[in-house]
Amino acid sequence: WGNCVIPPQYGYSFDQGQASLLNFEGANGATTTLDAFGNTWTLTGATISTAQFKYGASSLTLNGTSDYAKSTGIVSLGGGSWEISLWFRPNGFAAAQTLVQLGNASANYGVGIDLNMSGKAVVSLSSTGTGYDIANNVAGLATFVANQWHRVRLVFDALAGVYKLYQ
């Protein structure tokens, strides 16, 4: 059987604190949503919108510089490989925008994926919960276009010990 990157799961359900699949499903104007694993995500400055969506019947709407989706249910990224993947559709780039924030509820250090005013994905990563010691506002190479759907993936490969941003 040999080695595998991700060990098999022998239980009937996934550990909620170790996984998230965000579809941003919900009623129009809602400020909370559940991911596919049952974690509650609180939307700050953001809402669920049924006006436009890539999949399902709704999507997350971000319209300002301090909008984000956050969960306190995910307390650790674990010691193995992981991925954060999301689809988004920016209306413009007049100001920096937060797409995803995972981390300490009081300090907001953990994993952050933002869009800067140039339309580039920016990543910040913390291993301490007190500062961005792994990466601090590191911009990707691709420039996104307003009013189009885009996908970003942030992957940690535990075997190689590297983080990769796919866009």
PDB file of all heavy atoms in Angstrom, residues 15-20 39 73-79 82:
ATOM      1  N   ASP A  15     -13.494  16.000  10.570  1.00  0.00           N
ATOM      2  CA  ASP A  15     -13.259  16.873  11.712  1.00  0.00           C
ATOM      3  C   ASP A  15     -13.562  18.301  11.269  1.00  0.00           C
ATOM      4  O   ASP A  15     -12.863  18.853  10.414  1.00  0.00           O
ATOM      5  CB  ASP A  15     -11.816  16.738  12.166  1.00  0.00           C
ATOM      6  CG  ASP A  15     -11.469  17.624  13.341  1.00  0.00           C
ATOM      7  OD1 ASP A  15     -12.342  18.387  13.811  1.00  0.00           O
ATOM      8  OD2 ASP A  15     -10.325  17.566  13.797  1.00  0.00           O
ATOM      9  N   GLN A  16     -14.604  18.910  11.846  1.00  0.00           N
ATOM     10  CA  GLN A  16     -15.010  20.259  11.452  1.00  0.00           C
ATOM     11  C   GLN A  16     -13.886  21.266  11.616  1.00  0.00           C
ATOM     12  O   GLN A  16     -13.806  22.223  10.865  1.00  0.00           O
ATOM     13  CB  GLN A  16     -16.197  20.721  12.293  1.00  0.00           C
ATOM     14  CG  GLN A  16     -17.496  20.101  11.895  1.00  0.00           C
ATOM     15  CD  GLN A  16     -18.616  20.622  12.766  1.00  0.00           C
ATOM     16  OE1 GLN A  16     -18.873  20.068  13.813  1.00  0.00           O
ATOM     17  NE2 GLN A  16     -19.238  21.685  12.342  1.00  0.00           N
ATOM     18  N   GLY A  17     -13.054  21.078  12.614  1.00  0.00           N
ATOM     19  CA  GLY A  17     -11.986  22.028  12.893  1.00  0.00           C
ATOM     20  C   GLY A  17     -10.800  21.905  11.957  1.00  0.00           C
ATOM     21  O   GLY A  17      -9.844  22.647  12.065  1.00  0.00           O
ATOM     22  N   GLN A  18     -10.842  20.961  11.016  1.00  0.00           N
ATOM     23  CA  GLN A  18      -9.723  20.750  10.116  1.00  0.00           C
ATOM     24  C   GLN A  18     -10.050  20.979   8.646  1.00  0.00           C
ATOM     25  O   GLN A  18      -9.185  20.860   7.793  1.00  0.00           O
ATOM     26  CB  GLN A  18      -9.198  19.313  10.268  1.00  0.00           C
ATOM     27  CG  GLN A  18      -8.625  19.033  11.628  1.00  0.00           C
ATOM     28  CD  GLN A  18      -7.357  19.819  11.897  1.00  0.00           C
ATOM     29  OE1 GLN A  18      -6.544  20.035  11.020  1.00  0.00           O
ATOM     30  NE2 GLN A  18      -7.191  20.270  13.116  1.00  0.00           N
ATOM     31  N   ALA A  19     -11.322  21.269   8.333  1.00  0.00           N
ATOM     32  CA  ALA A  19     -11.681  21.382   6.921  1.00  0.00           C
ATOM     33  C   ALA A  19     -12.783  22.415   6.711  1.00  0.00           C
ATOM     34  O   ALA A  19     -13.562  22.696   7.603  1.00  0.00           O
ATOM     35  CB  ALA A  19     -12.149  20.025   6.389  1.00  0.00           C
ATOM     36  N   SER A  20     -12.818  22.957   5.490  1.00  0.00           N
ATOM     37  CA  SER A  20     -13.871  23.892   5.134  1.00  0.00           C
ATOM     38  C   SER A  20     -14.041  23.911   3.625  1.00  0.00           C
ATOM     39  O   SER A  20     -13.060  23.928   2.887  1.00  0.00           O
ATOM     40  CB  SER A  20     -13.535  25.304   5.617  1.00  0.00           C
ATOM     41  OG  SER A  20     -14.557  26.192   5.241  1.00  0.00           O
ATOM     42  N   ASN A  39     -19.171  24.259   9.802  1.00  0.00           N
ATOM     43  CA  ASN A  39     -18.589  25.405  10.509  1.00  0.00           C
ATOM     44  C   ASN A  39     -19.385  26.662  10.183  1.00  0.00           C
ATOM     45  O   ASN A  39     -19.746  26.897   9.038  1.00  0.00           O
ATOM     46  CB  ASN A  39     -17.134  25.637  10.075  1.00  0.00           C
ATOM     47  CG  ASN A  39     -16.219  24.510  10.479  1.00  0.00           C
ATOM     48  OD1 ASN A  39     -16.120  24.181  11.651  1.00  0.00           O
ATOM     49  ND2 ASN A  39     -15.563  23.912   9.505  1.00  0.00           N
ATOM     50  N   GLY A  73     -14.398  28.344  14.192  1.00  0.00           N
ATOM     51  CA  GLY A  73     -14.435  26.894  14.319  1.00  0.00           C
ATOM     52  C   GLY A  73     -13.159  26.229  13.853  1.00  0.00           C
ATOM     53  O   GLY A  73     -12.836  25.131  14.269  1.00  0.00           O
ATOM     54  N   ILE A  74     -12.422  26.867  12.971  1.00  0.00           N
ATOM     55  CA  ILE A  74     -11.167  26.308  12.478  1.00  0.00           C
ATOM     56  C   ILE A  74     -10.051  26.909  13.318  1.00  0.00           C
ATOM     57  O   ILE A  74      -9.708  28.076  13.184  1.00  0.00           O
ATOM     58  CB  ILE A  74     -10.965  26.610  10.983  1.00  0.00           C
ATOM     59  CG1 ILE A  74     -12.109  25.973  10.192  1.00  0.00           C
ATOM     60  CG2 ILE A  74      -9.615  26.109  10.502  1.00  0.00           C
ATOM     61  CD1 ILE A  74     -12.113  26.298   8.741  1.00  0.00           C
ATOM     62  N   VAL A  75      -9.520  26.102  14.223  1.00  0.00           N
ATOM     63  CA  VAL A  75      -8.548  26.605  15.187  1.00  0.00           C
ATOM     64  C   VAL A  75      -7.110  26.274  14.825  1.00  0.00           C
ATOM     65  O   VAL A  75      -6.185  26.788  15.423  1.00  0.00           O
ATOM     66  CB  VAL A  75      -8.864  26.074  16.601  1.00  0.00           C
ATOM     67  CG1 VAL A  75     -10.195  26.609  17.082  1.00  0.00           C
ATOM     68  CG2 VAL A  75      -8.880  24.554  16.620  1.00  0.00           C
ATOM     69  N   SER A  76      -6.914  25.396  13.840  1.00  0.00           N
ATOM     70  CA  SER A  76      -5.571  25.000  13.458  1.00  0.00           C
ATOM     71  C   SER A  76      -5.567  24.547  12.007  1.00  0.00           C
ATOM     72  O   SER A  76      -6.536  23.963  11.541  1.00  0.00           O
ATOM     73  CB  SER A  76      -5.085  23.857  14.350  1.00  0.00           C
ATOM     74  OG  SER A  76      -3.902  23.290  13.850  1.00  0.00           O
ATOM     75  N   LEU A  77      -4.491  24.799  11.318  1.00  0.00           N
ATOM     76  CA  LEU A  77      -4.339  24.295   9.964  1.00  0.00           C
ATOM     77  C   LEU A  77      -3.744  22.895   9.966  1.00  0.00           C
ATOM     78  O   LEU A  77      -3.586  22.272   8.929  1.00  0.00           O
ATOM     79  CB  LEU A  77      -3.465  25.236   9.141  1.00  0.00           C
ATOM     80  CG  LEU A  77      -4.074  26.611   8.915  1.00  0.00           C
ATOM     81  CD1 LEU A  77      -3.091  27.514   8.209  1.00  0.00           C
ATOM     82  CD2 LEU A  77      -5.365  26.504   8.136  1.00  0.00           C
ATOM     83  N   GLY A  78      -3.423  22.391  11.146  1.00  0.00           N
ATOM     84  CA  GLY A  78      -2.914  21.035  11.271  1.00  0.00           C
ATOM     85  C   GLY A  78      -1.469  20.913  10.830  1.00  0.00           C
ATOM     86  O   GLY A  78      -0.848  21.870  10.389  1.00  0.00           O
ATOM     87  N   GLY A  79      -0.947  19.713  10.927  1.00  0.00           N
ATOM     88  CA  GLY A  79       0.439  19.476  10.584  1.00  0.00           C
ATOM     89  C   GLY A  79       0.628  18.908   9.196  1.00  0.00           C
ATOM     90  O   GLY A  79       1.752  18.764   8.730  1.00  0.00           O
ATOM     91  N   TRP A  82      -2.642  21.135   3.274  1.00  0.00           N
ATOM     92  CA  TRP A  82      -3.973  21.727   3.251  1.00  0.00           C
ATOM     93  C   TRP A  82      -4.098  22.673   2.066  1.00  0.00           C
ATOM     94  O   TRP A  82      -3.123  23.025   1.428  1.00  0.00           O
ATOM     95  CB  TRP A  82      -4.312  22.447   4.557  1.00  0.00           C
ATOM     96  CG  TRP A  82      -3.287  23.448   5.027  1.00  0.00           C
ATOM     97  CD1 TRP A  82      -2.298  23.238   5.936  1.00  0.00           C
ATOM     98  CD2 TRP A  82      -3.146  24.821   4.606  1.00  0.00           C
ATOM     99  NE1 TRP A  82      -1.551  24.380   6.105  1.00  0.00           N
ATOM    100  CE2 TRP A  82      -2.046  25.373   5.304  1.00  0.00           C
ATOM    101  CE3 TRP A  82      -3.828  25.635   3.707  1.00  0.00           C
ATOM    102  CZ2 TRP A  82      -1.639  26.685   5.145  1.00  0.00           C
ATOM    103  CZ3 TRP A  82      -3.409  26.950   3.541  1.00  0.00           C
ATOM    104  CH2 TRP A  82      -2.333  27.459   4.265  1.00  0.00           C
TER     105      TRP A  82
END
